[in-house]
């Protein structure tokens, strides 16, 4: 279902006349949510269902990315959290012709001079939010990278999360390597590099956080990395090897 969705979205955007460059505008922030250090990444785009921003954030001590969706109005941003797989399918994968309702979403933020401030609230809990922009990626024009851009992909396993390091090369902007980060150790335990002249890793026309996906086959975790190729894109699968504790490219 997820892979079919990626191909469908790509084809629809291709038919709309979008060019190779121009669908990624991402800003990364770090700071705190209440007493907890956190990292947050936001991509602005017209995603459908009246959504104009999607993102991913994690608390530093948990290292478990939480998908976000929401709306931007001027300098105000309302962000909702995806609670479970069912909501992910309904909101992110399937979407809706009916405008999404962001009333009561946990994040109520204001953006000024590269700083996000506001609050996160759920039930009786309410915490202040203070996050500063530390990096950015803009592929909507000539292509621009600010700082060190690491994308916290939505895909994760029980033990690892995955971060894409995006850089600007002679052939454009793309993911040049993917880091496997052990959640408990909060440490990079493997780096998978992407090279060649195409510079197309992690550039499929989807939400940027969807360029790495996770599945399970015969009890083994599979991490699929998306590549742009001018059509519906393609994927390379990395299978977790229990003996070496590493992900290996499936031939």
């Amino acid at each position: 279902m997820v892979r079919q969705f990626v191909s469908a979205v790509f084809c629809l955007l291709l038919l709309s006349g979008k060019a190779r460059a121009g669908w990624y505008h991402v800003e990364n922030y770090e700071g705190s949510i209440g007493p907890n250090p956190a990292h947050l990444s936001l991509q602005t785009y017209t995603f459908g269902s009246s959504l104009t921003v999607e993102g991913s954030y994690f608390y530093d001590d948990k290292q478990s990315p939480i998908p976000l969706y929401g709306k931007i109005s001027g300098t105000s941003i309302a962000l909702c959290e995806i609670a479970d797989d069912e909501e992910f399918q309904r909101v992110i994968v399937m979407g809706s012709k009916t405008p999404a309702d962001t009333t009561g979403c946990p994040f109520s933020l204001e953006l000024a001079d590269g700083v996000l401030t506001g609050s996160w609230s759920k039930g009786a809990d309410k915490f202040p939010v203070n996050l500063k922009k530390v990096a950015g990626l803009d592929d909507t024009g000539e292509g621009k990278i600010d700082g060190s851009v690491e994308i916290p992909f939505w895909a994760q396993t029980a033990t690892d999360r995955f971060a894409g390091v995006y850089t600007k090369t002679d052939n454009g902007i793309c993911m040049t390597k993917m880091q496997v980060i052990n959640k408990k150790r909060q440490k990079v335990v493997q780096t998978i590099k992407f090279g060649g002249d195409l510079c197309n890793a992690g550039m499929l026309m989807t939400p940027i956080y969807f360029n790495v996906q996770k599945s399970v086959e015969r009890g083994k975790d599979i991490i699929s990395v998306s590549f742009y190729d001018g059509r519906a894109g393609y994927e390379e699968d990395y299978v977790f090897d229990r003996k070496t504790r590493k992900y290996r490219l499936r031939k």
Side-chain angles (χ1 to χ4, degrees), residues 9 17 35 48 51 58 70 88 97 100 114 131 135 139 143 154 178 234 246:
V9 169
L51 300 178
F58 62 88
F88 187 88
K97 295 181 180 180
L131 299 162
D139 193 35
W154 288 328
M178 180 179 70
Y234 64 93
K246 302 290 184 182

Side-chain angles (χ1 to χ4, degrees), residues 12-208:
L12 287 172
L13 291 175
L14 192 62
L15 290 172
S16 71
K18 296 292 183 180
R20 160 65 175 87
W23 53 79
Y24 288 146
H25 181 270
V26 182
E27 295 184 343
N28 286 356
Y29 299 83
E30 64 179 45
S32 62
I33 300 173
N36 304 304
H39 283 71
L40 178 144
S41 179
L42 297 178
Q43 178 186 352
T44 53
Y45 192 81
T46 302
F47 292 98
S49 303
S50 75
L51 300 178
T52 52
V53 59
E54 291 185 353
S56 178
Y57 89 101
F58 62 88
Y59 292 100
D60 291 8
D61 62 341
K62 300 294 185 181
Q63 296 286 314
S64 294
I66 300 172
L68 298 168
Y69 66 92
K71 299 178 183 179
I72 298 177
S73 178
T75 60
S76 300
I77 306 175
L79 295 173
C80 305
E81 299 178 358
I82 295 291
D84 50 37
D85 290 344
E86 181 180 345
E87 185 177 9
F88 187 88
Q89 288 287 325
R90 177 173 56 83
V91 176
I92 302 297
V93 177
M94 301 303 296
S96 172
K97 295 181 180 180
T98 304
D101 183 10
T102 57
T103 304
C105 287
F107 285 98
S108 179
L109 305 173
E110 291 288 333
L111 175 62
D113 299 323
V115 176
L116 283 172
T117 56
S119 63
W120 178 97
S121 61
K122 185 177 293 186
D125 296 325
K126 185 173 183 177
F127 299 106
V129 175
N130 195 315
L131 299 162
K132 182 179 180 180
K133 181 182 174 181
V134 293
L137 180 162
D138 190 345
D139 193 35
T140 61
E142 296 180 356
K144 184 179 180 182
I145 291 277
D146 292 323
S148 179
V149 178
E150 295 184 11
I151 299 300
F153 295 117
W154 288 328
Q156 59 184 301
T157 69
T159 56
D160 301 316
R161 73 174 181 90
F162 306 89
V165 177
Y166 282 71
T167 58
K168 186 173 183 179
T169 73
D170 292 339
N171 299 302
I173 292 175
C174 59
M175 177 170 59
T176 53
K177 59 184 178 181
M178 180 179 70
Q179 297 175 332
V180 181
I181 301 167
N182 183 275
K183 296 179 183 179
K184 185 175 181 179
R185 296 164 60 188
Q186 300 181 28
K187 180 180 179 180
V188 176
V189 294
Q190 183 180 1
T191 299
I192 299 172
K193 296 182 179 180
F194 308 102
D197 297 331
L198 294 178
C199 190
N200 60 349
M203 297 300 292
L204 193 61
M205 193 180 289
T206 70
I208 196 168

